[in-house]
Amino acid sequence: LVTDEAEKQMLRYLARISSATPRNFRTALGLSRQTVARKLARLRAAGLVVVTGKTRMARYELVGQSGDN
């Protein structure tokens, strides 16, 4: 169960657009780079999101959203 409001916003955003880069989150939600990185790490550790690619090419999506999960 996600209780953090920023994490909830990030999950809702992913549900709407399928996949996003950290920059997409920062722009759409008005979060800092550090906040986005920290929240994405928590969401990954909780098994809620997966990442494809690395560094600037990294894209995040909800677990089970693509055919690969």
Side-chain angles (χ1 to χ4, degrees):
L1 182 66
V2 177
T3 58
D4 182 87
E5 190 56 39
E7 291 173 5
K8 287 180 186 178
Q9 289 178 343
M10 293 172 79
L11 292 172
R12 284 192 296 262
Y13 182 68
L14 278 179
R16 281 195 324 266
I17 68 163
S18 297
S19 71
T21 66
R23 177 180 238 168
N24 296 145
F25 288 110
R26 292 193 315 265
T27 302
L29 304 175
L31 301 172
S32 73
R33 181 178 300 211
Q34 294 83 3
T35 297
V36 168
R38 187 173 59 251
K39 301 302 181 184
L40 286 171
R42 286 175 42 106
L43 292 170
R44 284 181 67 197
L48 298 172
V49 299
V50 292
V51 63
T52 56
K54 295 184 184 226
T55 61
R56 291 187 181 189
M57 299 303 293
R59 296 196 67 84
Y60 291 82
E61 49 187 49
L62 294 174
V63 167
Q65 194 166 20
S66 77
D68 298 338
N69 301 331

